[in-house]
Amino acid sequence: MDIEAKLKDLGIQLPSAPAPAANYVPYVVVDDMVYISGQISAGPEGLITGKLGADMDVAAGQKAARQCAIALLAQLKAACGGDLNRLKRVVKLGAFVNSTDSFTDQPQVVNGASDLMVEVLGDAGRHARAAVSAPSLPLGVAVEIDGVFQIS
């Protein structure tokens, strides 16, 4: 499968891999594994901010999570020297959802990222996952997701 062609078919253009905002690296490659730092929800118009259960609904949260997944793929492309076809599989996503104490639909929000991975990568996109609540996230963003990927 040509991942770049699939992205194009879906109308998804990967942005440049975002630079880290502090003293860390965007990814680490160890043997055939890539560990990608948390990617915050941002789109072409800027940061996607809000709190699920207060001023955002699940659908808006899913869109924010989808943007995190796109940023993860952009970082993965950089880690693979520009060749996304080196990807063997998505191993795990760890997601944090900026949400109220009473909000309990974090897994549905994070489906925005998980569904994109499967849509783009098929079975190689199926992964283990954590979806947890956070009382706040950096810059007030709605979602932050990190990832572990296996490459060739």
Side-chain angles (χ1 to χ4, degrees):
M1 170 180 59
D2 183 344
I3 296 171
E4 294 279 357
K6 182 65 176 182
L7 287 166
K8 186 175 181 180
D9 288 346
L10 294 170
I12 298 170
Q13 183 174 6
L14 294 182
S16 297
N23 189 19
Y24 64 93
V25 294
Y27 58 82
V28 173
V29 179
V30 178
D31 298 323
D32 66 344
M33 302 299 288
V34 180
Y35 301 85
I36 300 178
S37 296
Q39 302 297 300
I40 60 175
S41 53
E45 289 97 39
L47 296 175
I48 302 169
T49 60
K51 185 176 282 286
L52 279 291
D55 57 0
M56 287 186 87
D57 63 14
V58 170
Q62 288 173 334
K63 289 178 184 175
R66 180 180 173 93
Q67 289 302 128
C68 291
I70 290 170
L72 284 166
L73 291 174
Q75 291 291 1
L76 181 64
K77 182 175 181 177
C80 290
D83 183 6
L84 273 175
N85 290 322
R86 290 180 56 197
L87 176 70
K88 286 186 177 179
R89 72 167 299 130
V90 181
V91 177
K92 184 175 183 192
L93 298 181
F96 302 90
V97 178
N98 185 353
S99 53
T100 64
D101 291 349
S102 60
F103 185 80
T104 59
D105 289 331
Q106 290 83 3
Q108 287 75 18
V109 168
V110 180
N111 282 345
S114 294
D115 292 348
L116 178 78
M117 292 298 183
V118 174
E119 186 178 9
V120 172
L121 306 168
D123 283 341
R126 298 193 185 284
H127 52 272
R129 183 179 92 175
V132 299
S133 179
S136 67
L137 288 173
L139 306 172
V141 296
V143 181
E144 179 174 351
I145 303 177
D146 64 16
V148 180
F149 301 80
Q150 184 181 28
I151 60 172
S152 59

